[in-house]
Amino acid sequence: MRRRIRTDLALEVRESFPEDDVEIKGVVLTEEYDEKNKIKVSTVEIKDDRGSRAMQKPKGIYITIEAPSLAESDEDYHKPVSDEIAKQLRKLAKEYNNEGVLIAGLGNREVTPDALGPQVVDNLFITRHLIREFGDSFKEKNRLGSVSAISPGVMAQTGMETQEIIKGIVERTKPKLIIVIDALASRSVSRLNTTIQLSDTGISPGSGIGNNRQALNEETLGVRTIALGVPTVVDAATIVADTLEKYMEGGGFSEDEIFKFISEVNGSQVENMFVTPKNIDESIDRISFTISEALNSCFAQH
Amino acid sequence: MRRRIRTDLALEVRESFPEDDVEIKGVVLTEEYDEKNKIKVSTVEIKDDRGSRAMQKPKGIYITIEAPSLAESDEDYHKPVSDEIAKQLRKLAKEYNNEGVLIAGLGNREVTPDALGPQVVDNLFITRHLIREFGDSFKEKNRLGSVSAISPGVMAQTGMETQEIIKGIVERTKPKLIIVIDALASRSVSRLNTTIQLSDTGISPGSGIGNNRQALNEETLGVRTIALGVPTVVDAATIVADTLEKYMEGGGFSEDEIFKFISEVNGSQVENMFVTPKNIDESIDRISFTISEALNSCFAQH
Amino acid sequence: MRRRIRTDLALEVRESFPEDDVEIKGVVLTEEYDEKNKIKVSTVEIKDDRGSRAMQKPKGIYITIEAPSLAESDEDYHKPVSDEIAKQLRKLAKEYNNEGVLIAGLGNREVTPDALGPQVVDNLFITRHLIREFGDSFKEKNRLGSVSAISPGVMAQTGMETQEIIKGIVERTKPKLIIVIDALASRSVSRLNTTIQLSDTGISPGSGIGNNRQALNEETLGVRTIALGVPTVVDAATIVADTLEKYMEGGGFSEDEIFKFISEVNGSQVENMFVTPKNIDESIDRISFTISEALNSCFAQH
Amino acid sequence: MRRRIRTDLALEVRESFPEDDVEIKGVVLTEEYDEKNKIKVSTVEIKDDRGSRAMQKPKGIYITIEAPSLAESDEDYHKPVSDEIAKQLRKLAKEYNNEGVLIAGLGNREVTPDALGPQVVDNLFITRHLIREFGDSFKEKNRLGSVSAISPGVMAQTGMETQEIIKGIVERTKPKLIIVIDALASRSVSRLNTTIQLSDTGISPGSGIGNNRQALNEETLGVRTIALGVPTVVDAATIVADTLEKYMEGGGFSEDEIFKFISEVNGSQVENMFVTPKNIDESIDRISFTISEALNSCFAQH
């Protein structure tokens, strides 16, 4: 159940439970609201295996920052959001002390809604090579933290799993912290480009718990790994299914029946389709800049 | 009627009539099939005002080339498609005799499925300035036709209607033929990136007939104008509506009721959303190259 | 004389006169220095035909802003430079009152040091279409000025003179002011990416005075035209010639003899070569952002 | 001696010896000329330490393909050049048998003459992930070789040495052959974009022999490593020095004296400047396509 509706947001998984206000065992939800800046921060903590099974996500902390005005082009607004991201990043980074962070911008630079990761990396202040060249006194004097970064591309471009590439680089360059930036899929169009999810669980492409073959997390990489993502697309089949489900409400159809019907009408290609806004280029430009600012202030120059 | 379901393909409008095999007055459909290369060519001719009203498209010839293998990466396949495009272009260009063609690549270079036009222009062999510099004997000797091109960008980038820009350029540079390249919306995901539509009616953004304010056609530009488009997206609302309609079949719902319901479930943002395949970057690269080759062989070097 | 040494900077032409501190008839030079921000502003005014002949530039005002720290990545520094550019722009724009400015980003987006113009345009806040859609009260309420923009590409890409394209667009869209942004050639590597030249004479590609065939200026476009340029390259032949000349000093060689010798050693290709720094991508990113900010504050939202 | 004149071409080092037709001990030069296609292939073999010291390059084979017409846009011409590259690649790859090649596109995608490597990678047919998904019978049936690829970016973008990144990826993905593509510096403008150098020595950034810290070769990567490079720039100081030297001929100046003089005239920035042609974007597009075709025919589908 709930298998085929795709969302990368823990908050949406939590919301999908009908018992919206009762408690799910092993899952704690807390919320804060910054009235002035209209920023809502929700924290979903999955505390044990029971919660993990219910949520179909690994144990850990999932922080969602919702900032509806991110969709607008008002530049003044971006500083508070950037500050909030930096604050939550520091919380998740815990005892990290500027010894060396590797920031990986996942995704395909050539497909606009998937270019978030590479565009964040393009705007980063990179320092690791400077510190290695000019030494620790240079680092101290300029209050620098060591930052390296890579945009590895996607498997269709490299022929390699992202995990193989990142793991190889981590083993050679030995960062003390990894930040993985990626575009996500949400269930709802209203969340696109206005929501940022941070998590200390890393990224588990595909079906979630149990499958570590492609995961980028502390277990597979050997280093604390924070994931930072923004939903920029909705799966095409999901948006159709959600609408149909609403229409059929009470009809007693299973999710499988609904998806089978969608494939019959639209052909199987619909499974490799995504939905994204027409002005996605502007959104990606703005949000990647906001995230880069957060990362720069957090890790490069402090 | 049929107002809100969006398609830019005349062939799909024709197909949408229930009386699929009876004749629509004023509209003639002919079909050819190239067995060997698996290329189907359908020609819809709208002959009079009655046909124009029924089809909600201007009078003229609409040629659709369907080549399912365009979706694959087999490069050998592209030559026959490119040749077919060139053949149909020559047919529509009529008595044009290499005196000067302006090729306009519409669309937003920064949004992958909308980048078709600019990418076609990037691959063109541009000759107008060479002929002006080296003269007619140079033109004859090298069997050149005069080709100029522009990728004007979209209104959000320029603040200007595309018509204002193209019309201004046409008035100064006086081409004898205009080709307008654009990404289109189709109704069905199976047509994406496998279909090419050519038409001697130019482009009428928005609602079709009657509104010339933004149109790019012979009437507004003063020069024969051929439109060449490829469906690269489906409107998100259209894909949902089509599925719902199929489900509700016989329920007696009007299109308006269906779209109202979709907005209620998904919010009004869904109207500015499109659906496109995950590997759209590869499709755009391939198809824009195929189209450029057709244009080069047709107009630049003959 | 002085024909083959190429510089687009009026200040460098002025400096090239041996009589550095005597006055050239018809040319007035004034200088200001902002100690705090280390910004030097030099104004060369060419007042009459005699000055124009001596300087080989059209009559008018040439303002040069020199800000050595532009070459550094310190972001705090860019605000004062941006403010200075805006101040000088307002001075040259004279009685312009937000009725409509067209900003043209010249140059080739695909060649890094030539991408300055297109990159400035990419960062502009475009408003003309919004004002046309939402009306004058919207314009007043948001304190907007009408801004449109275009990056036409270079002749090898379009087959058309830039003048033909811009003139056509101006005639259709009727802006009240034109700003032309372009990458320039300077004589000295130390000026690259640290200098901004503004002028009310527009741009005269090629040899300067007398030749209006390709010029973008008030006379050819019919609207007040301000040029804003940044030297991002040095002509390869110029850098070699300058070094040789210094070496041969007093040898009594003419410029023609020097250039002939350079061609003999390097082949004639050297005439189509330019010199640019290895980190030109970072400089172009930074400076184009600084210039966009100036233009946005000056013309879009005031 | 010869230290400061920069060239990455073994052929140019060989030519720089005054005793042009006498033999340098330990260095063997052979030449072939394809009259019909106007392609010249020169092979410099450095056979021992003496040759290595004289040439200031590691022992190994350096093949230079000179194809002047590469600078022209005649597409028909590219097939013979592509075939020649493939032939020489096969020679250097020796007993490699399609078990897995990693192709690394070095250089900065954002600086046009340095974008050769990334652009070659963009055009590759990537197969490793397909073979892993569909198995050996799929590989055999389609006559595929396993190809993976990466464009790691430059140190200013990643903070990491290219060697660290490639070595990490090699250790995880275990290719049997590595091809490293890079833009090179030549000494002469006439060689730019018309010359391709292949070598079985890999790449030794910086000063050449003895320094393995950053080298990408069989010794440091543990796998046979072929370098493929195209000169796209000339060092600015080198072009000035070469001209000056010619002028001063017989004046008895040392290279150090000449470079000191150049720095005095131009400032020290000149050391980080390069010279490149104005139409470098077209050259890079064309040559990277030609090289990709050679790599695809050699390694992806055979």
Side-chain angles (χ1 to χ4, degrees):
Chain A
M1 204 198 79
R2 204 152 272 107
R3 191 171 31 94
R4 305 185 68 170
I5 293 286
R6 187 179 162 211
T7 175
D8 295 322
L9 295 180
L11 190 64
E12 288 190 334
V13 178
R14 180 63 188 74
E15 289 169 354
S16 72
F17 288 94
E19 58 275 41
D20 208 36
D21 35 26
V22 303
E23 240 171 61
I24 298 163
K25 295 279 167 54
V27 179
V28 179
L29 172 65
T30 55
E31 292 181 355
E32 280 173 81
Y33 188 63
D34 172 351
E35 187 75 45
K36 187 179 150 226
N37 292 305
K38 301 202 169 52
I39 298 174
K40 183 176 167 190
V41 179
S42 313
T43 305
V44 174
E45 189 172 0
I46 303 182
K47 296 182 89 84
D48 55 26
D49 290 345
R50 200 171 34 175
S52 180
R53 271 193 308 276
M55 295 284 288
Q56 303 215 10
K57 300 238 171 238
K59 279 180 279 184
I61 297 171
Y62 300 83
I63 298 169
T64 311
I65 301 172
E66 289 173 273
S69 315
L70 259 186
E72 289 157 30
S73 67
D74 182 356
E75 288 182 25
D76 300 337
Y77 182 71
H78 289 237
K79 190 78 175 70
V81 180
S82 179
D83 289 346
E84 187 64 45
I85 299 172
K87 183 179 142 193
Q88 301 298 337
L89 269 174
R90 273 188 213 100
K91 204 187 284 177
L92 293 178
K94 283 191 173 162
E95 67 270 39
Y96 173 73
N97 195 20
N98 300 311
E99 310 95 323
V101 63
L102 171 67
I103 302 177
L106 307 191
N108 183 348
R109 183 187 284 283
E110 304 299 327
V111 176
T112 318
D114 204 24
L116 178 86
Q119 285 204 21
V120 166
V121 163
D122 285 351
N123 288 320
L124 291 177
F125 180 26
I126 303 296
T127 59
R128 180 177 178 269
H129 60 304
L130 301 175
I131 292 169
R132 283 161 70 97
E133 187 175 350
F134 299 113
D136 274 352
S137 64
F138 173 82
K139 185 188 173 192
E140 245 88 281
K141 207 186 91 190
N142 292 287
R143 305 181 58 78
L144 297 180
S146 168
V147 177
S148 57
I150 188 90
S151 298
V154 296
M155 200 159 65
Q157 297 167 323
T158 65
M160 302 179 277
E161 299 280 358
T162 304
Q163 197 204 58
E164 297 178 288
I165 298 173
I166 302 297
K167 202 164 173 176
I169 294 173
V170 166
E171 283 165 358
R172 301 285 338 159
T173 64
K174 305 205 180 311
K176 295 288 175 285
L177 179 69
I178 297 168
I179 314 276
V180 189
I181 318 286
D182 205 3
L184 306 177
S186 81
R187 182 168 181 167
S188 133
V189 296
S190 69
R191 280 234 167 71
L192 295 184
N193 305 316
T194 61
T195 304
I196 294 145
Q197 175 176 274
L198 298 103
S199 166
D200 62 358
T201 62
I203 285 182
S204 308
S207 65
I209 50 169
N211 173 10
N212 256 338
R213 199 174 60 89
Q214 302 165 16
L216 298 167
N217 57 33
E218 182 159 3
E219 197 184 324
T220 58
L221 299 177
V223 182
R224 188 167 182 80
T225 301
I226 298 173
L228 189 163
V230 175
T232 62
V233 299
V234 177
D235 248 40
T238 296
I239 202 174
V240 179
D242 266 8
T243 314
L244 261 179
E245 199 174 53
K246 212 82 183 180
Y247 177 75
M248 299 168 163
E249 226 153 55
F253 295 93
S254 75
E255 210 182 271
D256 271 351
E257 288 169 310
I258 295 173
F259 273 87
K260 193 154 159 271
F261 178 72
I262 294 170
S263 279
E264 274 164 24
V265 175
N266 296 287
S268 61
Q269 298 103 317
V270 79
E271 285 173 27
N272 287 311
M273 300 273 156
F274 62 78
V275 178
T276 203
K278 281 168 189 167
N279 65 345
I280 181 68
D281 58 326
E282 298 169 22
S283 295
I284 294 286
D285 276 358
R286 262 200 310 269
I287 298 172
S288 60
F289 184 76
T290 305
I291 295 172
S292 307
E293 293 290 288
L295 290 164
N296 286 338
S297 82
C298 217
F299 297 118
Q301 201 146 20
H302 52 99
Chain B
M1 204 199 74
R2 204 151 272 110
R3 190 172 31 93
R4 305 184 68 172
I5 293 287
R6 189 180 160 211
T7 175
D8 294 323
L9 296 180
L11 189 64
E12 288 189 333
V13 178
R14 180 62 188 74
E15 289 168 351
S16 71
F17 289 93
E19 59 274 39
D20 207 36
D21 33 26
V22 302
E23 240 171 62
I24 298 163
K25 295 277 166 59
V27 178
V28 178
L29 171 65
T30 55
E31 292 180 357
E32 278 173 82
Y33 188 63
D34 171 351
E35 188 75 46
K36 187 181 149 221
N37 293 305
K38 299 201 170 53
I39 299 175
K40 183 176 167 191
V41 179
S42 314
T43 305
V44 174
E45 189 171 0
I46 304 182
K47 296 181 90 84
D48 57 26
D49 289 347
R50 199 172 34 174
S52 180
R53 272 193 308 275
M55 296 284 290
Q56 305 214 7
K57 301 241 169 235
K59 278 179 282 184
I61 298 171
Y62 300 82
I63 298 169
T64 312
I65 301 171
E66 291 173 272
S69 315
L70 258 187
E72 290 157 31
S73 66
D74 183 356
E75 288 183 25
D76 300 335
Y77 183 70
H78 289 236
K79 189 76 175 69
V81 180
S82 180
D83 289 346
E84 187 65 45
I85 299 171
K87 180 181 144 194
Q88 301 298 336
L89 271 173
R90 273 189 213 101
K91 204 186 285 178
L92 293 177
K94 281 189 174 164
E95 66 270 37
Y96 173 73
N97 193 20
N98 300 311
E99 310 95 324
V101 62
L102 170 65
I103 302 177
L106 308 191
N108 182 348
R109 183 186 285 283
E110 305 298 327
V111 176
T112 317
D114 204 23
L116 179 85
Q119 284 203 22
V120 167
V121 164
D122 286 350
N123 289 319
L124 291 177
F125 179 27
I126 302 296
T127 59
R128 181 177 178 267
H129 60 304
L130 301 174
I131 293 168
R132 283 159 71 97
E133 190 175 349
F134 299 111
D136 273 353
S137 64
F138 173 82
K139 186 188 172 193
E140 245 87 283
K141 204 186 93 191
N142 293 286
R143 305 182 56 80
L144 298 181
S146 168
V147 177
S148 58
I150 188 91
S151 297
V154 296
M155 200 159 64
Q157 296 167 323
T158 64
M160 301 179 276
E161 299 280 359
T162 303
Q163 198 204 58
E164 295 176 291
I165 298 172
I166 302 298
K167 202 165 173 175
I169 293 173
V170 166
E171 284 165 356
R172 301 286 336 159
T173 63
K174 307 208 180 310
K176 295 288 173 285
L177 179 68
I178 298 168
I179 315 275
V180 189
I181 318 285
D182 204 4
L184 306 177
S186 79
R187 184 170 181 167
S188 133
V189 295
S190 70
R191 280 236 169 67
L192 296 184
N193 305 315
T194 61
T195 303
I196 295 145
Q197 177 176 272
L198 298 105
S199 166
D200 63 357
T201 61
I203 285 183
S204 307
S207 64
I209 49 169
N211 172 10
N212 256 338
R213 201 175 58 90
Q214 301 164 17
L216 298 167
N217 57 33
E218 182 158 2
E219 197 184 327
T220 59
L221 299 177
V223 182
R224 186 165 184 81
T225 300
I226 298 173
L228 190 163
V230 174
T232 62
V233 299
V234 177
D235 249 41
T238 295
I239 202 174
V240 179
D242 265 9
T243 315
L244 261 178
E245 201 175 53
K246 213 83 185 177
Y247 176 74
M248 300 168 163
E249 225 155 54
F253 295 94
S254 75
E255 208 181 271
D256 271 351
E257 287 169 309
I258 294 173
F259 273 88
K260 193 155 160 268
F261 178 72
I262 293 170
S263 279
E264 274 165 24
V265 175
N266 297 287
S268 61
Q269 298 104 317
V270 79
E271 285 173 26
N272 287 312
M273 300 275 156
F274 62 78
V275 178
T276 203
K278 280 166 192 170
N279 65 344
I280 182 67
D281 56 328
E282 298 168 22
S283 295
I284 295 287
D285 277 357
R286 259 199 313 267
I287 298 172
S288 59
F289 183 77
T290 304
I291 295 172
S292 307
E293 293 290 289
L295 291 164
N296 286 338
S297 82
C298 216
F299 297 118
Q301 201 145 20
H302 52 99
Chain C
M1 204 198 77
R2 204 152 274 107
R3 191 172 30 92
R4 304 184 69 170
I5 292 287
R6 189 180 161 209
T7 175
D8 294 322
L9 297 180
L11 190 63
E12 289 189 334
V13 178
R14 180 63 186 73
E15 289 169 353
S16 70
F17 287 93
E19 60 273 40
D20 208 37
D21 32 28
V22 302
E23 241 171 61
I24 298 164
K25 294 279 167 56
V27 179
V28 179
L29 171 65
T30 56
E31 293 180 355
E32 280 174 82
Y33 189 63
D34 171 351
E35 186 76 46
K36 188 178 149 225
N37 292 305
K38 302 202 168 52
I39 298 174
K40 183 175 167 191
V41 179
S42 313
T43 305
V44 173
E45 190 171 0
I46 303 182
K47 296 182 88 83
D48 57 25
D49 290 345
R50 200 172 33 176
S52 181
R53 270 194 308 275
M55 295 284 289
Q56 305 214 7
K57 301 239 169 237
K59 278 179 279 184
I61 298 171
Y62 300 83
I63 299 168
T64 310
I65 301 172
E66 290 173 273
S69 315
L70 259 186
E72 290 158 31
S73 67
D74 183 356
E75 289 184 23
D76 300 337
Y77 183 71
H78 289 237
K79 189 79 173 69
V81 180
S82 179
D83 289 346
E84 186 66 44
I85 299 171
K87 182 179 142 194
Q88 301 297 337
L89 270 174
R90 273 189 214 98
K91 203 185 287 176
L92 293 178
K94 282 190 172 161
E95 68 269 39
Y96 174 73
N97 194 20
N98 299 311
E99 310 95 321
V101 63
L102 171 65
I103 302 177
L106 308 191
N108 182 349
R109 182 186 285 284
E110 305 300 326
V111 176
T112 317
D114 204 25
L116 178 87
Q119 285 204 20
V120 166
V121 163
D122 286 350
N123 289 319
L124 290 177
F125 180 27
I126 301 297
T127 59
R128 180 175 177 269
H129 60 305
L130 301 174
I131 293 168
R132 282 161 71 98
E133 187 175 351
F134 300 112
D136 273 353
S137 64
F138 172 83
K139 184 188 174 192
E140 245 87 281
K141 205 186 93 192
N142 294 287
R143 306 181 57 76
L144 297 181
S146 168
V147 177
S148 57
I150 188 90
S151 298
V154 296
M155 200 160 63
Q157 296 168 324
T158 65
M160 301 179 277
E161 299 279 358
T162 303
Q163 196 203 60
E164 296 178 290
I165 299 173
I166 301 299
K167 202 164 173 176
I169 294 173
V170 166
E171 283 165 358
R172 301 283 341 157
T173 65
K174 305 206 181 311
K176 295 288 174 286
L177 179 69
I178 298 168
I179 314 276
V180 188
I181 318 285
D182 204 4
L184 306 178
S186 79
R187 182 168 181 167
S188 132
V189 295
S190 69
R191 281 232 168 72
L192 295 185
N193 305 316
T194 60
T195 303
I196 294 144
Q197 175 176 276
L198 299 104
S199 166
D200 62 357
T201 61
I203 285 183
S204 308
S207 65
I209 51 171
N211 172 11
N212 256 339
R213 199 175 59 91
Q214 303 165 15
L216 298 168
N217 57 34
E218 183 158 2
E219 197 184 326
T220 59
L221 300 176
V223 182
R224 186 167 183 79
T225 300
I226 298 173
L228 190 163
V230 174
T232 63
V233 298
V234 177
D235 249 40
T238 297
I239 202 174
V240 179
D242 266 8
T243 315
L244 262 178
E245 199 174 51
K246 213 81 182 181
Y247 176 75
M248 300 167 164
E249 224 154 54
F253 295 95
S254 75
E255 210 182 88
D256 271 350
E257 287 169 309
I258 293 173
F259 272 88
K260 194 156 160 266
F261 178 72
I262 293 170
S263 278
E264 274 164 24
V265 175
N266 296 288
S268 61
Q269 298 103 317
V270 78
E271 284 173 26
N272 287 312
M273 301 273 155
F274 62 78
V275 178
T276 203
K278 281 168 189 170
N279 66 344
I280 181 69
D281 57 327
E282 299 168 22
S283 295
I284 294 287
D285 277 357
R286 262 201 309 269
I287 297 173
S288 60
F289 183 77
T290 304
I291 294 172
S292 306
E293 292 291 289
L295 291 164
N296 285 338
S297 83
C298 216
F299 298 118
Q301 203 145 20
H302 52 99
Chain D
M1 208 198 74
R2 203 153 273 108
R3 191 170 32 91
R4 305 183 70 170
I5 292 287
R6 190 181 159 209
T7 175
D8 294 324
L9 295 180
L11 190 64
E12 289 189 333
V13 177
R14 179 64 187 72
E15 290 169 350
S16 72
F17 288 94
E19 59 275 39
D20 208 35
D21 32 27
V22 301
E23 241 171 62
I24 298 163
K25 295 278 166 58
V27 180
V28 178
L29 172 64
T30 55
E31 293 181 354
E32 279 173 82
Y33 188 63
D34 172 351
E35 188 75 45
K36 187 180 149 221
N37 293 305
K38 299 201 171 55
I39 299 175
K40 183 176 168 191
V41 179
S42 313
T43 305
V44 173
E45 188 171 1
I46 303 183
K47 296 183 90 83
D48 57 25
D49 289 347
R50 201 170 33 174
S52 181
R53 271 193 307 276
M55 295 284 290
Q56 304 215 8
K57 302 242 169 233
K59 279 179 280 183
I61 297 171
Y62 299 83
I63 298 168
T64 311
I65 300 171
E66 291 173 272
S69 315
L70 261 186
E72 290 157 31
S73 66
D74 182 355
E75 289 184 24
D76 300 335
Y77 183 70
H78 288 237
K79 189 78 174 70
V81 179
S82 181
D83 289 346
E84 186 65 46
I85 299 172
K87 180 179 143 193
Q88 302 297 337
L89 271 173
R90 274 189 213 101
K91 204 187 286 178
L92 293 178
K94 281 189 176 164
E95 66 270 38
Y96 173 73
N97 194 21
N98 299 311
E99 310 95 322
V101 62
L102 171 65
I103 301 176
L106 308 191
N108 183 347
R109 184 186 284 284
E110 305 299 326
V111 176
T112 317
D114 204 24
L116 178 86
Q119 285 204 22
V120 167
V121 164
D122 286 352
N123 288 321
L124 290 178
F125 180 26
I126 302 296
T127 59
R128 180 177 178 268
H129 60 304
L130 301 175
I131 293 169
R132 283 159 72 97
E133 190 175 349
F134 299 113
D136 273 353
S137 64
F138 173 82
K139 186 188 172 193
E140 245 88 281
K141 203 186 94 191
N142 293 286
R143 305 183 57 80
L144 298 181
S146 168
V147 178
S148 57
I150 188 90
S151 297
V154 295
M155 200 159 64
Q157 295 167 325
T158 65
M160 302 180 277
E161 299 279 0
T162 303
Q163 198 205 59
E164 297 177 290
I165 298 173
I166 301 298
K167 202 165 171 175
I169 293 173
V170 167
E171 283 164 357
R172 301 285 337 159
T173 63
K174 305 206 181 311
K176 295 290 173 283
L177 179 69
I178 299 168
I179 314 277
V180 189
I181 318 287
D182 203 4
L184 306 177
S186 78
R187 183 168 179 167
S188 134
V189 295
S190 69
R191 280 235 168 69
L192 295 184
N193 305 316
T194 61
T195 303
I196 296 146
Q197 176 175 275
L198 298 104
S199 165
D200 62 357
T201 62
I203 284 183
S204 308
S207 64
I209 50 169
N211 172 10
N212 256 337
R213 201 174 60 89
Q214 302 164 16
L216 298 168
N217 56 34
E218 183 158 1
E219 197 183 328
T220 58
L221 299 177
V223 182
R224 186 165 184 79
T225 300
I226 297 172
L228 191 163
V230 174
T232 63
V233 298
V234 177
D235 248 41
T238 295
I239 203 175
V240 179
D242 265 8
T243 315
L244 261 178
E245 201 174 51
K246 214 82 184 177
Y247 176 75
M248 299 166 160
E249 225 155 55
F253 295 94
S254 75
E255 209 182 271
D256 271 351
E257 286 169 310
I258 294 173
F259 273 87
K260 193 155 161 267
F261 178 72
I262 294 169
S263 278
E264 273 165 24
V265 175
N266 296 287
S268 61
Q269 297 105 317
V270 78
E271 285 173 26
N272 288 312
M273 300 275 157
F274 63 78
V275 177
T276 203
K278 280 167 192 170
N279 65 344
I280 182 68
D281 56 327
E282 298 169 22
S283 295
I284 294 286
D285 277 358
R286 259 200 313 266
I287 297 172
S288 60
F289 183 76
T290 304
I291 295 173
S292 307
E293 292 290 288
L295 291 164
N296 285 338
S297 81
C298 216
F299 297 119
Q301 202 145 19
H302 52 98

